[in-house]
Amino acid sequence: MTPRIIPQMFRALGAAPRAAWSAQVPRAPAFLRPFSAQSEQPRLRLGSTAPNFTALTTKGEIDFHKFIGDKWTILFSHPADFTPVCTTELGAFSRLKNEFDKRGVQLIGLSANDLGSHDEWIKDINEVGSTKVQFPIIADADRKVAFLYDMVDQQDLDNIDKKGIAFTIRSVFIIDPNKKIRLTMMYPASTGRNSAEVLRVIDSLQTGDKKGVTTPIDWQVGDDVIVPPSVSTADAQKKFGEVREVKPYLRYTKI
Ligand code: BEZ
């Protein structure tokens, strides 16, 4: 099945996308439904410490904080194995291995199935995506990590009593070497992510951390950066050289 078929499938079923796909994947029994304790869910903000957990992955058991170590880490989730959009996403992230390596970034995926299923699915991802997935994929069949990181949509939570366990959406968490969450992205199950945007944000965050600058809309490496309001023009000139002042509060420079 190709991703193009999915919207047609949703229309044919006359249902919202989530309802269509959620009907296809077996539900976990009630005792495995961590989302019933929503009040215990940590509040994750930019700057929060990424919650720790232990989990089985396709590369062995991990303690997440030990896994992060002192590296930039991207944790990204998928609704289910053997699903078309997810298959394209994992292939794309895998093919970008050199780009992530260059930036000192490690990836870890998550999908809401068990290890046996992941191992079989990876064979398909490698075949379809002409790649070899090397990063670990968390087996989150009981949605424990999905609960911890609030990787669900409201519709699933609202229907939890009638329909059972909440499904995982497409979340991305960029976590820095200090284990702080620096970016979150949440995409619906029906929309594949943009791998170039994930790399672009990493470039922006790492540039900002190193140089003390911010980056404008659609910025790419090599473009002019912005002098933040906390830095005077005189200090910016000392540090970077020429400063182009468009407005007193909007000043560009080159790095
Ligand atoms: C997907 O294409 O990735 C997908 C399809 C149905 C349910 C969940 C995900």
Side-chain angles (χ1 to χ4, degrees):
M1 189 184 289
T2 69
R4 233 179 303 239
I5 294 172
I6 291 293
Q8 292 156 13
M9 184 177 88
F10 294 151
R11 273 197 298 276
L13 288 167
R18 187 210 54 79
W21 58 259
S22 65
Q24 298 164 13
V25 188
R27 298 283 180 178
F31 70 90
L32 286 177
R33 291 176 196 159
F35 288 94
S36 53
Q38 278 178 63
S39 59
E40 290 163 24
Q41 206 159 32
R43 184 178 284 265
L44 300 186
R45 297 190 168 118
L46 298 189
S48 299
T49 298
N52 198 21
F53 58 85
T54 55
L56 294 177
T57 82
T58 50
K59 301 282 183 193
E61 192 167 354
I62 60 153
D63 170 291
F64 189 52
H65 279 186
K66 287 194 187 131
F67 174 83
I68 295 173
D70 60 358
K71 293 195 88 171
W72 285 84
T73 300
I74 299 180
L75 168 66
F76 60 105
S77 60
H78 298 274
D81 294 0
F82 299 104
T83 48
V85 177
C86 299
T87 302
T88 64
E89 289 187 307
L90 280 160
F93 281 129
S94 175
R95 285 193 300 278
L96 284 171
K97 181 178 185 323
N98 288 345
E99 293 299 321
F100 287 113
D101 285 351
K102 261 197 261 172
R103 293 160 173 85
V105 176
Q106 59 180 353
L107 300 182
I108 181 162
L110 174 152
S111 183
N113 293 97
D114 63 26
L115 277 186
S117 166
H118 283 4
D119 287 340
E120 286 305 308
W121 185 35
I122 285 171
K123 291 180 196 164
D124 280 4
I125 297 163
N126 289 343
E127 180 198 322
V128 173
S130 306
T131 188
K132 188 167 181 337
V133 172
Q134 290 183 44
F135 50 79
I137 303 177
I138 296 167
D140 196 35
D142 59 6
R143 316 311 198 260
K144 270 196 210 143
V145 181
F147 171 73
L148 200 59
Y149 279 78
D150 201 8
M151 296 163 162
V152 288
D153 68 24
Q154 189 61 46
Q155 192 183 356
D156 262 317
L157 288 174
D158 289 346
N159 291 338
I160 199 156
D161 289 333
K162 279 177 279 165
K163 295 200 168 183
I165 196 163
F167 274 87
T168 308
I169 52 165
R170 301 182 197 286
S171 296
V172 180
F173 289 86
I174 297 184
I175 299 163
D176 72 14
N178 295 319
K179 303 180 179 58
K180 299 292 180 206
I181 295 173
R182 299 292 298 276
L183 171 125
T184 64
M185 291 180 191
M186 287 190 181
Y187 280 60
S190 53
T191 306
R193 282 160 281 209
N194 183 326
S195 54
E197 174 62 3
V198 175
L199 281 173
R200 195 188 75 87
V201 178
I202 287 280
D203 285 335
S204 169
L205 288 170
Q206 292 186 341
T207 301
D209 284 5
K210 268 190 217 132
K211 306 280 183 181
V213 294
T214 56
T215 62
I217 177 82
D218 295 336
W219 177 85
Q220 300 283 349
V221 170
D223 291 351
D224 289 355
V225 297
I226 288 178
V227 178
S230 55
V231 179
S232 70
T233 299
D235 284 348
Q237 283 164 334
K238 263 187 240 147
K239 194 168 173 186
F240 304 114
E242 194 187 331
V243 172
R244 180 166 55 92
E245 187 173 298
V246 177
K247 293 278 176 193
Y249 57 84
L250 175 57
R251 297 159 302 158
Y252 289 95
T253 190
K254 294 187 190 304
I255 48 164

